[in-house]
Amino acid sequence: MKKQTVFTLLIIALVLSFFVTPLGEFSKLQLNRLVAPSPTIIETENGGKISDYNWKLKDENWDYFNFERSKGKVVVISFWASWHLPSRAQLKDLIDLYETYNGTVDFYLITNEEKAPVEEFMAKNKYTFPLTYQIIGEESPLQVLDPPGSYVLDKSGVIRVHQTAISDWDNKKVHNLLKELIAQ
């Protein structure tokens, strides 16, 4: 075979590996992380404000709770799905934020999936962060975003981040925002 033919076949094999192998899954996750921009921070005077914290959700044990417990706190909300590649790609950054700010920031990683596939995903990846399950049809004080949409709320309920696409959450800009909001 000619060198050009061998080279072409190698390129085809590499491209196919992105679609049919575990290496491809890993590569797609890394590529999504690499190209993800930092979330856009909204100035306080330009952010919308939620007026009602009444939002019924379920925790990882499938027990009901109300979002009102986060009133007066800094809140990070991220809508995600275990089957959604961009959601899985940004999940590591959100877990790192959770581990850094747990106790000073309330985190809601919200899915509308059934419990079984999410638990399987969590076990497979050895994740232990707390999950929140959306109750379909339940009214929300915020627009429920498609995964991987996210919000950051300050202590008075002002939306400081409203991100509708994958983002790089592990950067100085986000850490500075959270520290500023916690200090207020």
Side-chain angles (χ1 to χ4, degrees):
M1 280 197 278
K2 295 181 181 180
K3 282 185 178 179
Q4 181 67 26
T5 304
V6 171
F7 181 72
T8 302
L9 289 173
L10 286 173
I11 294 295
I12 290 171
L14 179 67
V15 169
L16 284 175
S17 76
F18 263 70
F19 296 103
V20 296
T21 68
L23 172 64
E25 179 72 11
F26 174 79
S27 299
K28 287 185 277 188
L29 285 171
Q30 295 305 321
L31 184 60
N32 268 269
R33 288 182 185 135
L34 181 67
V35 299
S38 179
T40 303
I41 296 173
I42 304 168
E43 294 301 321
T44 305
E45 58 273 4
N46 297 329
K49 184 174 181 176
I50 66 171
S51 58
D52 182 13
Y53 280 77
N54 187 24
W55 185 15
K56 197 171 177 184
L57 299 160
K58 289 183 184 177
D59 65 18
E60 65 271 9
N61 298 318
W62 219 242
D63 294 327
Y64 292 99
F65 71 93
N66 198 298
F67 183 64
E68 282 189 354
R69 70 184 188 189
S70 291
K71 193 172 190 171
K73 298 180 182 179
V74 177
V75 181
V76 173
I77 300 169
S78 183
F79 297 93
W80 71 281
S82 63
W83 54 265
H84 190 252
L85 183 76
S87 292
R88 292 193 321 266
Q90 87 172 8
L91 197 53
K92 181 188 177 311
D93 287 353
L94 290 167
I95 292 168
D96 290 346
L97 280 182
Y98 169 76
E99 290 172 354
T100 302
Y101 296 99
N102 183 26
T104 55
V105 174
D106 282 0
F107 285 85
Y108 294 90
L109 301 173
I110 301 175
T111 185
N112 64 2
E113 295 177 85
E114 292 294 324
K115 191 174 181 183
V118 173
E119 286 180 337
E120 181 181 324
F121 170 80
M122 297 286 286
K124 177 183 171 190
N125 292 287
K126 298 181 174 102
Y127 289 144
T128 58
F129 61 88
L131 295 171
T132 305
Y133 293 91
Q134 177 187 350
I135 301 168
I136 304 299
E138 181 70 25
E139 288 192 38
S140 164
L142 297 160
Q143 176 188 355
V144 174
L145 302 174
D146 290 333
S150 301
Y151 292 102
V152 174
L153 307 176
D154 70 12
K155 291 177 181 178
S156 62
V158 174
I159 300 169
R160 296 299 306 277
V161 172
H162 176 188
Q163 196 69 23
T164 58
I166 185 174
S167 297
D168 169 17
W169 289 91
D170 191 19
N171 64 63
K172 190 174 182 177
K173 186 173 150 182
V174 172
H175 285 278
N176 287 342
L177 173 66
L178 291 177
K179 289 174 186 172
E180 172 193 324
L181 297 178
I182 292 165
Q184 291 179 344

